[in-house]
Every structure is written in C-alpha cells, then in structure tokens.
Amino acid sequence: MYADDETVRRILQDSGDTWAVVGLSDNRSRAAYGVAEVLQRFGKRVVPVHPKAEQVHGEQGYASLADIPFAVDVVDVFVNSALAGGVADEAVAAGAKAVWFQLGVVDEAAYERTRAAGLSMVMDRCPAIEIPRLAPRR
C-alpha cells in the first residue's frame, strides 16, 4: 500500500485545488478524461498536460509541467510506470505539494525521492474513486 487514507484525504482536502493531469487529452475513451471530469465536479481545477497541449474540460492544455505559467498543487500522473518517475521529479521541480500515481502506476524509487523532497504521494490509486469516499463535496 502506497498511501493510507489520511494521506489520501490530506491530498484531496488540504493540498490545494489546482491539479495538473499528466496524460490528459481530449480523447473521451481514456481514463484520464473521466477522472478529470470527476475532479472538476469536486471543485478541482484540472490542467491538462499532454504533448498535444489540447484544451480539455474548458482548460488550456500544456505540453509539459514546466510550461504551466502558474502554481500547481497536485500532479496526477496517467503515464506508464517507466515514465512516471520522471514526471514525479518534474513535479518536485515545479513546486507541487503532492504527486498522485494512478491505478497501475508504480515506481517505488520515485515514491521515495518524492517523499524525501517533502511532498505527499499516492501510488496505484485513483482520485475519482477516493474523492467521493474521503473528501466532502463543495
């Protein structure tokens, strides 16, 4: 287990409301699209991060975390495990407060580096499942 309920709750309630969703595109059949929709319903600002830099759910997209011209609170990662560690490192460099690796995304070394840098982190869980369970709706 890579996060207890208290860590999940802290990220969902206390880490801030601007979530960069890495891997989010306008492809409605991808999991990231639906998860981002749920996050918005619970009051989160969802910022798409994808090489195509598409607008999704009414928000401007960016090609990378470094391209986002404002602070991001949480980085939600929808890339495969082999690439996820690099994204976690970018999240630390960007000043995020937390990193969330989606279901099936696991990189224990990245988890250790990210936690050592002082960020909260969750791996192998989905905020669309956790937020209705642990965070009050606004």
Side-chain angles (χ1 to χ4, degrees):
M1 197 65 148
Y2 299 106
D4 55 63
D5 281 352
E6 185 52 40
T7 300
V8 170
R9 185 177 288 108
R10 187 172 55 252
I11 291 172
L12 293 172
Q13 291 179 346
D14 303 331
S15 291
D17 290 333
T18 302
W19 285 51
V21 182
V22 179
L24 175 59
S25 71
D26 69 354
N27 183 343
R28 294 172 185 263
S29 68
R30 304 290 298 187
Y33 190 91
V35 169
E37 208 166 39
V38 170
L39 289 169
Q40 280 188 324
R41 278 201 310 266
F42 280 84
K44 306 301 182 188
R45 178 182 185 190
V46 172
V47 181
V49 179
H50 190 278
K52 293 181 184 177
E54 301 169 310
Q55 182 172 327
V56 184
H57 297 306
E59 288 284 347
Q60 171 63 47
Y62 297 89
S64 71
L65 288 173
D67 291 339
I68 300 172
F70 48 83
V72 169
D73 300 310
V74 181
V75 176
D76 188 8
V77 182
F78 277 93
V79 300
N80 70 48
S81 296
L83 301 174
V87 176
D89 295 339
E90 290 172 23
V92 170
K97 298 173 188 166
V99 175
W100 192 300
F101 281 8
Q102 283 294 322
L103 290 171
V105 181
V106 176
D107 180 332
E108 292 180 9
Y111 182 85
E112 295 302 325
R113 286 193 311 273
T114 303
R115 297 288 296 128
L119 282 69
S120 296
M121 185 163 178
V122 171
M123 285 197 306
D124 196 26
R125 289 175 81 169
C126 179
I129 294 169
E130 304 298 338
I131 201 166
R133 187 173 78 82
L134 296 174
R137 191 166 185 169
R138 295 180 184 187

